[in-house]
Amino acid sequence: MKLNFYNMQNTSIKNWAEDDRPREKMLLKGYAALSNAELLAILINNGTKDKSAVDVAKEMLAAVNNDLQKLGRLSVKDLLKLKVKGIGEAKAITIGAALELGVRRETADRKKDIIVKSKDAADFLRAQLQYKKQEVFLVMYLNAANKINHTEIISEGGLMGTVADPRVVLRKALEHDAVRIILCHNHPSGNIEPSRSDRELTQKIKEAAQLFDIKIMDHIIVGEEGHFSFADNGML
């Protein structure tokens, strides 16, 4: 017998008809059979007096225009600011943790031990940085065989930009025995074209690196829609 949502007194998923339960549906049909709302409902676990967990999930998705990338950029505090009834701190933490695992899985899938072309670095960097709400400057440190010795976020800024100190970039290169460097930062705005300050900073770091026989292989700007490579565009 199907559950009558208009007369329900307890909206916990465990009290739904079996074919209405996302967990059971996942077991029977697999992950792909579930909608985004149903997957989110599993994390939410139970709804409110008036709404099922799926209804709460749909409300949360509607608050971000059903944009999973936008949802993935939200912190726990941001999730709470959506003011979705039924989402308290504990559930926001659970959702945030699941979203972060998704980001880390994508990053791990795209990680390369050896960089052959700009896309190798860009795919990994985009997976790591595209959900950041603030601008982040990251550097990949490589040896002479293009093997990654170390990757580190050098600075984090606001929505409009960040500043990377060339001295910090090069000190880290010496610490990690790097002879080649790939610079990277994200543009939260989505526009991946380099700004004047991006070009000036790249040149400044390049000139300083030459004093230590360190080569700047690329400067990659990443965004939700793709990446821009200084090397591919003849700007190094």
Side-chain angles (χ1 to χ4, degrees):
M1 181 178 180
K2 284 282 188 176
L3 182 67
N4 185 334
F5 287 97
Y6 293 99
N7 296 320
M8 66 198 311
Q9 295 299 316
N10 190 327
T11 55
S12 174
I13 287 175
K14 67 183 179 181
N15 293 303
W16 296 14
E18 186 171 342
D19 55 355
D20 287 324
R21 301 176 191 172
R23 287 190 183 88
E24 281 74 4
K25 185 175 179 180
M26 179 182 287
L27 287 171
L28 289 171
K29 300 181 180 180
Y31 304 115
L34 275 67
S35 67
N36 292 338
E38 288 171 325
L39 289 170
L40 193 54
I42 290 175
L43 298 174
I44 293 171
N45 189 42
N46 50 36
T48 66
K49 181 179 179 181
D50 304 313
K51 295 184 296 184
S52 70
V54 172
D55 291 330
V56 173
K58 287 179 178 178
E59 185 177 339
M60 172 169 277
L61 289 171
V64 293
N65 298 317
N66 293 300
D67 186 338
L68 289 179
Q69 288 193 337
K70 185 174 181 180
L71 184 65
R73 289 195 295 269
L74 300 182
S75 66
V76 171
K77 288 183 179 179
D78 292 329
L79 289 170
L80 292 173
K81 286 178 182 177
L82 296 177
K83 296 190 181 301
V84 175
K85 189 176 180 181
I87 300 297
E89 185 176 82
K91 291 180 181 179
I93 289 172
T94 298
I95 294 167
L99 292 168
E100 177 62 21
L101 278 174
V103 171
R104 294 186 185 187
R105 176 185 177 184
E106 185 178 359
T107 301
D109 285 345
R110 296 180 181 278
K111 185 175 183 179
K112 301 281 187 180
D113 290 328
I114 296 177
I115 301 299
V116 178
K117 54 186 180 296
S118 64
K119 191 174 185 300
D120 293 337
D123 287 346
F124 166 72
L125 294 165
R126 186 176 170 219
Q128 187 167 2
L129 299 181
Q130 66 178 328
Y131 298 107
K132 298 286 188 182
K133 292 199 303 180
Q134 74 279 5
E135 195 165 295
V136 175
F137 196 97
L138 179 149
V139 180
M140 301 176 76
Y141 297 97
L142 300 85
N143 64 18
N146 286 357
K147 181 178 176 61
I148 301 171
N149 286 350
H150 183 67
T151 300
E152 185 168 338
I153 291 176
I154 300 300
S155 65
E156 297 188 50
L159 294 174
M160 300 305 294
T162 185
V163 177
D165 188 335
R167 293 172 298 180
V168 175
V169 173
L170 295 175
R171 185 176 72 243
K172 296 288 185 181
L174 297 174
E175 288 176 3
H176 296 284
D177 297 320
V179 296
R180 298 180 180 182
I181 289 176
I182 296 177
L183 309 173
C184 177
H185 74 281
N186 61 321
H187 278 181
S189 66
N191 178 13
I192 57 175
E193 289 295 319
S195 66
R196 179 179 176 181
S197 61
D198 292 336
R199 296 192 293 270
E200 290 175 347
L201 177 60
T202 303
Q203 187 62 30
K204 188 175 182 179
I205 295 176
K206 178 182 176 182
E207 291 174 359
Q210 288 173 342
L211 299 174
F212 298 93
D213 291 324
I214 296 173
K215 180 183 170 105
I216 305 300
M217 292 179 61
D218 206 345
H219 185 167
I220 296 172
I221 301 172
V222 298
E224 289 183 11
E225 302 303 321
H227 74 276
F228 180 95
S229 163
F230 275 59
D232 291 351
N233 286 277
M235 297 173 65
L236 280 176

